Structures are given as structure tokens and as C-alpha cells.
Amino acid sequence: VVTGEIIDIDSDDVLVKFSKDGDDDLEVDFNDEDYRDSDSDDVDDVIDSLEDDSYYVDDIEFEVRIDYDDDDTVTATFEAVNDDAALDWEDLEDSSYNIESDVEDICEDIANAFEDDADISLATVEVDFYDEEGDWLGSFSYDVDDRELD
């Protein structure tokens, strides 16, 4: 039989108790909210970090709002910061510029942030783009495993 505790040296609180008896499963009791809820805190931190950044399609700057509901899909809503974003977006669509390449890079950044910082493997990143007045510009679905837009 092996038993033990992890104690906070500053407060002398017992954070974790564990025991192992032969071939039985390891038993672990967490006595601290920070340990039990760390996954949701990680997700909140990832979302906050992503929402603090700016994203660009060519020279059009976007701010983002992230929605994640504990599944394998994230929905990101991008709103343009630039004036005349709708005209700029239309110019990009009419030119040979590859909007999808920028969108793939943005989606990959989002998927990597969830994987690296919250240990969450996403299957899909759904993105919607709007101009500064809230008018729709485009929507895309990114398959994380295939690393490409559907």
C-alpha cells in the first residue's frame, strides 16, 4: 500500500490525497477547486487570449468572438474593424487574392490554441465574417484533421 498527500507549502492545505494498493486502481482525491476545474479555466483562458488578438484577411482587420460548448466544434464570429470592409472584401473576391488561405491560417491558429493551451482536440472550426456594420461577408468551415476548408 502506498499513500500520500500533496500539500500547499504556503497555506499547509492538503490539495491532493492518493493511495495505491497492489493491482487496484490509483485513487486520487482532489481537495482544491483549482485542480478540479482547471479544464474550464484553461478553456476560458484560451478564449480570452484569442478574443484579445486581431486577425487579418489581407489588410482587413477583424476582432473575434469565440463560442465553445464543450464539444469538438468552435464557432468564431469575426467583425471588421476597418471602415469599408465590405468593399475591400468584394475587391479581394474579384481579384486573384486567395481569401481561403488567410481563413485557413486563422482557423489553424484557433485549433492550435485549443490543442496546445487547453488540451482540447477540435474537429471543426466554423467561422463567420461580418463588416463593421454587422453585414455578412462570408462563412467557412475548417476541418482540423484535414487542415483545410470544407
Side-chain angles (χ1 to χ4, degrees), residues 16-71:
V16 179
K17 289 183 180 182
F18 57 89
S19 66
K20 173 84 167 125
D21 186 7
D23 290 337
D24 292 342
D25 289 340
L26 175 68
E27 292 183 31
V28 180
D29 294 317
F30 295 99
N31 299 320
D32 186 281
E33 284 297 316
D34 291 338
Y35 284 87
R36 285 182 286 185
D37 294 335
S38 63
D39 286 346
S40 65
D41 289 344
D42 289 347
V43 170
D44 291 341
D45 290 345
V46 168
I47 291 171
D48 288 345
S49 176
L50 290 168
E51 290 180 344
D52 284 343
D53 288 342
S54 292
Y55 299 87
Y56 292 86
V57 174
D58 192 39
D59 292 328
I60 307 171
E61 181 181 1
F62 292 90
E63 294 177 341
V64 67
R65 187 185 77 245
I66 303 287
D67 292 312
Y68 174 71
D69 294 323
D70 296 329
D71 57 9

